[in-house]
Amino acid sequence: GPDDVLAVAFWREQEMSGEVTVRPDGMISLPLLNDVQAAGLTPDQLRLKLIDAASRFVENSQATVVVKQINSRKVFITGEVARPGAYAIATSMTVMQLIAIAGGLTEFAEAKSISIMRAEAGKTRTFPFDYKNVANGKKPAQNIVLKPGDTVVVPEK
């Protein structure tokens, strides 16, 4: 996805190899090959696409694609937390885990009125989150697993 960092290595073709970042338009740029669509492809699908593109310049080319850094999977937290902002999620992350990573709630946070905003099929869904109840084990179902693009809003009292 966009902002992911990939290492592309062509065997015996060092000038075509390199570390690239997927641009916002989903493309990567490599010497000789120019722009190649990368977003939405698995590393192996991209590898096959690059081998096909390189066949114009090199016979029997062999390529390897390694994902060096995943930056496209982000969640956001705003409002009354110590460090609001965007956070990358490599594995599953719950609302409580995101709040912890963001440094916890400030003294001005309205802990009972936190919400999670999620865009689905062109519409925004909102999920309620009561920090105190979840922390006390009363409403564990509210501690949902976040999806890329989710925004957690922590309002002020």
Side-chain angles (χ1 to χ4, degrees), residues 8 38 46 69 74 102 107 118 138 144:
V8 177
L46 179 58
Q69 196 172 17
K74 291 181 181 167
E107 61 184 287
R118 175 176 295 162
K138 292 182 182 170
I144 63 173

Side-chain angles (χ1 to χ4, degrees), residues 59-75:
E59 287 185 32
N60 301 320
S61 63
Q62 293 298 315
T64 303
V65 175
V66 177
V67 179
K68 302 265 294 198
Q69 196 172 17
I70 298 173
N71 297 323
S72 60
R73 296 176 46 89
K74 291 181 181 167
V75 291

Side-chain angles (χ1 to χ4, degrees), residues 14-96:
Q14 195 63 28
E15 62 276 352
M16 290 174 57
S17 302
E19 194 168 286
V20 295
T21 301
V22 181
R23 299 189 319 240
D25 65 358
M27 306 291 269
I28 59 172
S29 297
L30 288 165
L32 294 177
L33 303 182
N34 297 321
D35 293 344
V36 178
Q37 179 67 36
L41 301 177
T42 66
D44 196 52
Q45 290 170 329
L46 179 58
R47 180 184 71 82
L48 294 173
K49 192 171 191 174
L50 292 172
I51 289 171
D52 183 52
S55 67
R56 298 186 318 235
F57 306 103
V58 181
E59 287 185 32
N60 301 320
S61 63
Q62 293 298 315
T64 303
V65 175
V66 177
V67 179
K68 302 265 294 198
Q69 196 172 17
I70 298 173
N71 297 323
S72 60
R73 296 176 46 89
K74 291 181 181 167
V75 291
F76 306 87
I77 187 163
T78 186
E80 296 301 317
V81 291
R83 292 183 304 278
Y87 291 87
I89 52 173
T91 60
S92 66
M93 180 186 297
T94 64
V95 179
M96 283 293 260

Side-chain angles (χ1 to χ4, degrees), residues 74-131:
K74 291 181 181 167
V75 291
F76 306 87
I77 187 163
T78 186
E80 296 301 317
V81 291
R83 292 183 304 278
Y87 291 87
I89 52 173
T91 60
S92 66
M93 180 186 297
T94 64
V95 179
M96 283 293 260
Q97 290 168 331
L98 177 61
I99 290 170
I101 291 169
L105 302 178
T106 70
E107 61 184 287
F108 305 108
E110 180 58 64
K112 294 181 179 184
S113 301
I114 297 170
S115 60
I116 299 98
M117 296 169 44
R118 175 176 295 162
E120 289 181 331
K123 295 181 181 177
T124 300
R125 290 184 60 194
T126 303
F127 302 91
F129 183 84
D130 183 331
Y131 181 87

